[in-house]
Amino acid sequence: MANEVPWVEKYRPEKFTEIVGNEETVARLEVFSRQGNVPNIILCGPPGVGKTTTILCLARLLLGSSFREAVLELNASNDRGIDVVRNKIKMFAQTKVTLPPGRHKIIILDEADSMTEGAQQALRRTMENFSKTTRFALACNTSDKIIEPIQSRCAVIRFGKLSDAQVLAKIIDICRKENVSYAEDGLEALVYTAQGDMRQAIGNLQSTHVGFGHVNGKNVFKVCDEPHPLIIKEMIEYCAKGDIDEAYARMQTLYSLGYAAEDIVSNMFRVTKTNQTLPEYLKLEFIKHIGLTHMTVLQGLGSLLQLTALLADLCQTIEIKS
Amino acid sequence: MAKISLGMKRKATESSNLERNSEAQSWIDRFAPQSKEKLAVHKKKIEEVESWFARNLISKKFEKGKAPILLLVGPTGSGKTTSLRVVAQDLDIHIKEWLHPITQESNTAQGSAWREGGQQDYPKESVVEHFMDFIFQGSRYNSLFDNDSQRIILLEEIPSIFLRKPEEFHEALRRYQAFGRCPLVIILCETSSSREFKLFPPEIKRELQIHTISFNPIANTLLHKAIRDIIIEASKVCGKNFTHPMDSVVESVVQSCQGDLRLAVNLLEMNCMGTAKKLANFEKKKPKATKKDSKAATTGIGAKDSSLYLFHSLGKILYSKREDKIIHELPQHLKLYERPPTKEVPEEVFERTCVSQDLFTRMLENNAVNFYGSVKSASNCAEFFSLGDHVNATWDPSGVLDSLAISVTMRGLMFHLEKAKGKTHFGTFKKPTYDRRKTDDLALQVRHEFLMHGTSTEMLVSDILPYTFIIRPPDLSQGQWDVLNQCVLVRKSQMNTRQIEISEKDVFDEDDEVRVGETDFEAGEKVLETVSGAAEEFEIEEIDFN
């Protein structure tokens, strides 16, 4: 078991139909994979939604057996300064690979938002000069880190976060294939901690499975080591009622368990944001106070006193001011 | 060696003309305009380019040692390169373009088709030398394949080494002007970040008599026309893979690309070529009403690709549509703050835009002004903008604060924006005008032009420059005036209209005390300051440099 490949790689989709989420976008690219002549594309979206997977699928379908020689993949761990763009990319663009009509060599630049501006500038002309033989596929998290001239030369495709149901379905699927013993609350915890990031969900699933043999809520939170969202949820709800004693009791428990103030506060934000029962006004005020406290914590004041002050602030929003 | 590469290049362009309509090309190349009439650029600009050629090339022989230099600037996709190529083709001018050479020792085992610059023969040649050789020899000697036509040298990519050492570039230009034998055209892309502008300070432009033609973003009418032409042409050549885009699709493409024709064509290609299968599905389910069909297609566009979505999301936040019924009740004393739930979850809207929270905040800030229903809502919103900014200003390695900041801003806006009575806003959204990098650039320029020891940039901008502007000392150089005009914006007319607008729609139907100071929405970014001059009153906009 210990020598197994990461499940993230083992279950990386190879066909468009296996890709979870963003169906329309994927369907559109699937059309291109059959027609050929894909324009230069930028895929952007949060981590773990399948950007790289989609590009690899596209390249594999387009190029078939010549995938190896007709694809150049560079990610942030490769050196991608101006020189690499000038030399490696250009040289690859110039190599001759015999491909059927409508097919092009593909240069995949993963995590393109970490490329320096100079390197992106250098890419600009290369993109145009070799458009007859080579197409670019860029993946990034936010599109505004890509300079305008590059954006203008590409079709920008946005990927949305995966829904919890999509992540859950995939995790159950993997659990079945791998014979993982799991409990409902374990899966729930996995989905909660992943926040729509499929890679993280699968990674945590594997770690929990390897580490504890059984996937339940307790074990998942041991692996991820986050303050338990249920406690935080209760705490927030007591605040919304103005009951500071109960809220403080929970805060003290969490603090005495040794969680850093930063973790507690950022989880409070996460829970508040997604809570369905809070009225909008309270939500706004809560997030405001949590934000301000988070700042204080980051500046070094992560004491229980600060967290208690936050609770007091939250309780006060509902109190009648005399 | 330049000749070899030119020969190859020329061959490439010839063959590209032959197979212009071949499947293998993207729409940008396939439907590139071939004649002046088809260019989507404003006629005046084309004439300007043409007349420059007429003056400097056709009417023959500029003075020796005065090789003319033309600088084309403009935002991306405004047709700079395309105009130049079309005009040159028209006048039978041959374009030689400098391409950056591969600087490493190249690996011959990888049988590559051809290499430019022949660096195998000159492995130690530096980029700068290569560049110099190219521009001088290129201007002197005809290409072997060339039949004595006129030629120009085109520079679209400036060696990055020059960005660090602009003096060297200026020296190269000076030498070129002295010894070059044909006009040099430089195309620069005008983006918020472009460092290349620093290569052309005003004094160099004056010294070398560089003629500048600046292109504007393409007007929407021209954009429409160009796109329609392309759709017609595409429907002829692409056959069954092509699906005719809905009018609404075309409209949203035009709206979202903000005058960038290249982007528009790219989006269009994506939309027209990528939907074949989907539409086929629709045809199978024909019984369904056609209305739904078209609706599905348009919403698909919005949810799917490209910058289209960004503008929809702005609308989602700023209009903040709500359900009819109040679900969550608040205690009596807070009844005032009870609202029916919003239809959109702001965090989800933001996540789908895939832009950084900084940009999204600036976008909101720029566009929210039209949505303030009252001074009170304006001041509340401004408070949340400033809170978001405040939270965001703290350094945070985990990035949690970023999402907190945008969350606070969006929720604050959605909560506090009130619809103006009897007024609906149908305008288009604008890109943000405030750009930190631009102001940083400006700050650099200010320092460059007004070197005064012992003064901070802040002091220069907030104290010295405004008064310099009013006093108008006679010994200012042209460059200093340029910076002054950029920096100390005299916005007298603009300021007045803005104030009138506010008073019309807000002050009269709001009982609260109104101070004009509160209406300064762009709180934290711009501080308005009134300085009384002797005769006139100037409104001076001060820009925050930090």
Side-chain angles (χ1 to χ4, degrees), chain B residues 331-344:
Chain B
Q332 199 58 40
H333 66 286
L334 292 173
K335 276 284 177 220
L336 176 68
Y337 298 120
E338 232 167 43
R339 303 279 154 90
T342 51
K343 285 187 175 167
E344 300 287 339

Side-chain angles (χ1 to χ4, degrees), chain B residues 111-297:
Chain B
S112 64
W114 55 276
R115 291 173 221 285
E116 336 145 47
Q119 71 283 8
Q120 269 135 324
D121 306 332
Y122 305 95
K124 287 191 184 107
E125 182 188 43
S126 75
V127 176
V128 177
E129 278 167 42
H130 179 273
F131 174 76
M132 300 297 267
D133 276 358
F134 179 84
I135 57 174
F136 290 116
Q137 295 185 3
S139 78
R140 254 151 225 259
Y141 306 115
N142 271 330
S143 149
L144 282 178
F145 300 88
D146 215 2
N147 38 10
D148 211 30
S149 60
Q150 298 283 357
R151 59 189 182 274
I152 54 172
I153 290 193
L154 173 64
L155 201 57
E156 268 200 71
E157 209 184 354
I158 293 170
S160 50
I161 184 99
F162 285 143
L163 293 177
R164 247 171 290 148
K165 300 175 189 162
E167 323 78 54
E168 268 185 41
F169 183 65
H170 298 156
E171 197 45 48
L173 285 183
R174 276 189 207 108
R175 276 179 55 201
Y176 184 79
Q177 184 159 55
F179 302 112
R181 293 282 174 78
C182 71
L184 175 71
V185 180
I186 302 166
I187 295 185
L188 278 192
C189 174
E190 189 179 273
T191 55
S192 48
S193 57
S194 173
R195 293 170 300 170
E196 278 152 1
F197 274 94
K198 287 185 204 132
L199 289 176
F200 296 93
E203 63 266 16
I204 285 292
K205 279 192 194 166
R206 254 171 285 126
E207 182 194 330
L208 299 175
Q209 293 173 2
I210 298 175
H211 186 76
T212 314
I213 301 179
S214 58
F215 281 65
N216 298 325
I218 291 169
N220 275 3
T221 43
L222 291 170
L223 207 59
H224 257 296
K225 193 175 151 289
I227 288 182
R228 239 175 283 132
D229 287 348
I230 287 179
I231 291 176
I232 293 168
E233 214 176 316
S235 63
K236 278 185 216 145
V237 285
C238 296
K240 67 176 185 326
N241 285 335
F242 175 82
T243 31
H244 213 286
M246 235 76 64
D247 282 348
S248 57
V249 175
V250 176
E251 187 54 43
S252 55
V253 165
V254 170
Q255 282 294 334
S256 65
C257 64
Q258 305 253 316
D260 184 339
L261 182 55
R262 179 170 30 214
L263 185 62
V265 176
N266 273 332
L267 292 181
L268 202 67
E269 178 176 10
M270 203 65 198
N271 278 316
C272 293
M273 303 304 282
T275 44
K277 187 187 153 207
K278 229 176 74 197
L279 272 239
N281 280 348
F282 272 119
E283 239 131 39
K284 272 179 214 156
K285 301 178 207 155
K286 203 110 204 213
K288 277 192 179 173
T290 44
K291 200 179 155 195
K292 201 179 170 188
D293 188 323
S294 68
K295 204 178 160 195

Side-chain angles (χ1 to χ4, degrees), chain A residues 24 28 37 86-87 90 104 124-125 128-129 131 143-144 152-153 156 158 276 280 288 295 318, chain B residues 23-25 29 97 99-100 103 260 262 266 271 275 304 306 322 328 333 353-354 356 387:
Chain A
E24 287 212 55
R28 187 161 284 217
N37 200 14
R86 288 256 155 79
N87 302 316
K90 230 171 177 178
H104 302 88
R124 190 168 59 105
R125 286 303 289 164
E128 271 179 350
N129 289 337
S131 70
S143 61
D144 53 336
S152 164
R153 284 164 176 79
V156 183
R158 279 157 219 286
Q276 301 294 331
E280 194 188 346
K288 187 169 112 183
M295 270 179 65
I318 198 91
Chain B
E23 286 284 313
Q25 283 179 305
D29 296 323
E97 189 189 347
L99 293 173
H100 205 286
T103 41
D260 184 339
R262 179 170 30 214
N266 273 332
N271 278 316
T275 44
K304 243 175 312 174
S306 72
R322 289 170 184 278
H328 304 297
H333 66 286
T353 60
C354 297
S356 70
L387 183 73

